[in-house]
Amino acid sequence: MAKIREIYVCRSCGAQSAQWRGQCPRCREWNTLEAVQAARPSPGGALSPKSHGPSRILPLAEVTGGDHCAFGTGLEALDRILGRGFVPGAAILVGGEPGIGKSTLLLQLAGAVAREGKTVLYASGEESLPQIRNRAERLDVLHDSLLAVATSRVEDLFPVLENPESAPALMIVDSVQTLASDAAEGLPGNVSQVRTVATELVERCRRSGTALVLVGHVTKDGTLAGPRLLEHLVDTVISLEGDRREMFRMLRVLKNRFGPNQELLIFRMVRKGLELVEDPSTFFLGARDTSLSGTAVVMAVDGQRPFAVEIQALATKSYLSIPRRTGLGFDVNRLHLLLAVLEKRLRLNFGQADIYAKVGGGMRLQEPGLDLALVAALLSSFYDIPLPERCVLWGEVDLNGQIRPVSGQDIRMKQAMRLGYNPILCPENAKSRGLATVADLQRVLFRKG
Ligand SMILES: [Zn+2]
């Protein structure tokens, strides 16, 4: 008998390695490599440990199913960013932190699909049937075509997928980390269990023409095998993000075989579940008091969408030997860098000041266009002079104080004009406004320098 070979797979990114290592060579996480049995190459070359035999041979014109048979998710905006909705036989992975609202959103979608007369099976390894029923009742999605099963064994789900005629149109599995397969070793949630469970489900749903949604928890401490392990198995990867204390959620499409990538939807948490924010362009402004100093608005781009987001800064006298620098919602290194630029180029002294800066609304911004608004907010707090009420800014600031263009110029400008902002301070308007450096910004906005 051939010896069963073991390989090591990273719990967080799925990288494989022949030997055990303390640190993953790809994602640099520590202690994430786990031993799994290497898949024995099967005669058909299939990934799955069990062979399902070939499909019937047919004239291509008679083949049904596939993406031209896609059906709506119940949310028009989601259909648009997925391409056409749920595609029969295709798999979607929905990742996010526990408690962020993945189950709520998916039960809402399941209810909407069932209302259209399609059979939906909600398979949960997390909750009992009465718990699922209670939640469905609260969300007002109970329907004869919405079926549910509570199990922690993936094999229990196979019989319903056996026959393409009676298989559900949509199956939601919540979550891939709470199910275990008889074919894999160890506890649910470990690398080999998660891989086996997902591989089996993806394969069987492809054959039965069932659209599959896998829920995958992302844990910061890496105690569960993460969704990145499964990215290559599925057609679409969605992530649901947000701060559990904030009332909004962001749905991002990270990978998509059937539509655009990098799309973004914003939801609001309400009593009846998650509600789509139809026009999120000013959602992160909240109720602003424009008469206060230390705030500025940036026209930021996330995915394909421009958002007006408030940036707040506070410069106060410090009583510490090393003044405090705090940044929330963005990389705090940018704050250090911009303060250094302002000290050097504008000869301002922040050495005696504690500086706090944050992005409004709990939003996280990872884009260079933030710089100019952050500089404006810092100067506004430093001088205690508020910015003009309808002022919006974007642009990158480099180390010599020059203001640089950023991507997405056209959509930022269009959105800023639509929302009636004036003045619009950005690198592209630099010439007409005499705005090439941070010193120009200081002069234009505060008449200083
Ligand atoms: Zn890794």
Side-chain angles (χ1 to χ4, degrees):
M1 209 179 100
K3 200 171 149 232
I4 296 169
R5 207 164 61 84
E6 273 196 340
I7 54 167
Y8 296 87
V9 177
C10 171
R11 209 157 48 213
S12 108
C13 76
Q16 296 189 0
S17 164
Q19 307 108 39
W20 188 86
R21 295 162 199 256
Q23 188 184 26
C24 169
R26 195 202 288 165
C27 70
R28 304 272 149 209
E29 295 277 335
W30 288 91
N31 297 323
T32 54
L33 293 194
E34 236 177 72
V36 300
Q37 282 178 22
R40 270 158 293 176
S42 63
L47 235 173
S48 174
K50 285 178 201 132
S51 174
H52 300 278
S55 67
R56 274 190 302 149
I57 296 172
L58 283 176
L60 274 179
E62 286 174 26
V63 175
T64 56
D67 61 345
H68 58 279
C69 298
F71 53 95
T73 60
L75 252 181
E76 218 178 291
L78 185 58
D79 294 348
R80 206 174 53 239
I81 71 169
L82 287 178
R84 255 167 294 181
F86 290 126
V87 176
I92 300 179
L93 176 67
V94 178
E97 284 180 43
I100 206 77
K102 301 185 291 296
S103 308
T104 301
L105 179 65
L106 290 172
L107 202 51
Q108 282 176 274
L109 297 181
V113 172
R115 261 200 309 279
E116 295 295 312
K118 296 201 181 299
T119 310
V120 182
L121 177 60
Y122 189 90
S124 179
E126 309 247 336
E127 292 175 301
S128 67
L129 281 180
Q131 281 174 317
I132 301 170
R133 191 208 144 96
N134 285 347
R135 217 151 47 78
E137 225 170 84
R138 208 166 54 240
L139 298 171
D140 197 15
V141 296
L142 286 179
H143 192 280
D144 288 347
S145 302
L146 176 54
L147 315 175
V149 56
T151 179
S152 56
R153 226 179 126 251
V154 71
E155 283 79 9
D156 292 345
L157 304 176
F158 294 167
V160 72
L161 298 170
E162 217 85 301
N163 189 347
E165 272 75 56
S166 59
L170 171 66
M171 180 156 91
I172 295 170
V173 177
D174 185 5
S175 65
V176 70
Q177 287 125 334
T178 49
L179 293 190
S181 165
D182 296 345
E185 309 239 315
L187 293 170
N190 79 14
V191 170
S192 64
Q193 284 288 1
V194 166
R195 285 213 306 183
T196 310
V197 165
T199 309
E200 289 277 351
L201 286 171
V202 167
E203 175 69 17
R204 281 164 199 270
C205 285
R206 186 168 294 148
R207 282 170 183 272
S208 69
T210 296
L212 173 67
V213 177
L214 292 172
V215 176
H217 294 306
V218 179
T219 49
K220 286 216 180 82
D221 57 0
T223 45
L224 291 171
R228 288 187 64 192
L229 189 65
L230 306 176
E231 273 171 19
H232 66 282
L233 280 180
V234 298
D235 302 288
T236 303
V237 178
I238 287 174
S239 98
L240 195 62
E241 302 162 16
D243 192 323
R244 249 177 290 178
R245 289 158 302 178
E246 303 280 349
M247 37 95 81
F248 75 92
R249 299 287 182 267
M250 287 182 287
L251 183 151
R252 266 176 222 286
V253 177
L254 303 180
K255 161 189 168 179
N256 194 1
R257 184 176 293 173
F258 306 103
N261 274 345
Q262 294 297 326
E263 284 279 352
L264 179 70
L265 295 179
I266 309 281
F267 292 89
R268 191 186 287 122
M269 260 299 189
V270 294
R271 211 168 49 82
K272 274 193 142 188
L274 291 170
E275 184 185 83
L276 185 72
V277 177
E278 296 286 351
D279 183 4
S281 52
T282 58
F283 183 71
F284 295 99
L285 284 181
R288 286 187 77 218
D289 184 347
T290 50
S291 67
L292 296 178
S293 65
T295 76
V297 174
V298 58
M299 189 57 70
V301 171
D302 191 320
Q304 304 294 322
R305 274 173 186 271
F307 295 94
V309 182
E310 186 181 49
I311 308 296
Q312 302 167 352
L314 185 64
T316 59
K317 186 170 165 38
S318 178
Y319 297 96
L320 304 166
S321 54
I322 302 170
R324 196 182 285 273
R325 305 280 183 257
T326 305
L328 279 179
F330 65 99
D331 180 3
V332 73
N333 286 321
R334 296 208 81 82
L335 181 61
H336 291 294
L337 191 145
L338 292 172
L339 286 171
V341 170
L342 296 183
E343 293 214 342
K344 179 82 176 174
R345 304 294 159 194
L346 306 185
R347 297 191 183 81
L348 300 178
N349 184 5
F350 293 104
Q352 306 299 314
D354 287 336
I355 309 276
Y356 306 89
K358 73 176 280 216
V359 176
M363 179 88 170
R364 273 205 72 80
L365 287 182
Q366 286 180 319
E367 69 137 328
L370 163 74
D371 287 357
L372 202 58
L374 190 51
V375 165
L378 285 167
L379 292 176
S380 166
S381 178
F382 186 79
Y383 295 130
D384 199 16
I385 298 175
L387 261 51
E389 194 180 330
R390 302 295 295 160
C391 174
V392 70
L393 312 94
W394 66 87
E396 183 173 1
V397 173
D398 66 16
L399 286 179
N400 55 27
Q402 300 274 343
I403 299 167
R404 300 254 171 236
V406 287
S407 61
Q409 154 66 12
D410 295 349
I411 52 175
R412 291 181 210 247
M413 185 59 87
K414 237 166 96 185
Q415 187 74 288
M417 295 189 18
R418 184 178 79 86
L419 295 171
Y421 279 108
N422 185 28
I424 298 173
L425 302 179
C426 61
E428 294 73 14
N429 277 357
K431 282 223 178 65
S432 58
R433 296 198 170 267
L435 193 73
T437 67
V438 286
D440 298 332
L441 185 76
Q442 182 192 30
R443 189 173 37 75
V444 168
L445 285 176
F446 308 103
R447 311 196 184 286
K448 306 260 183 184

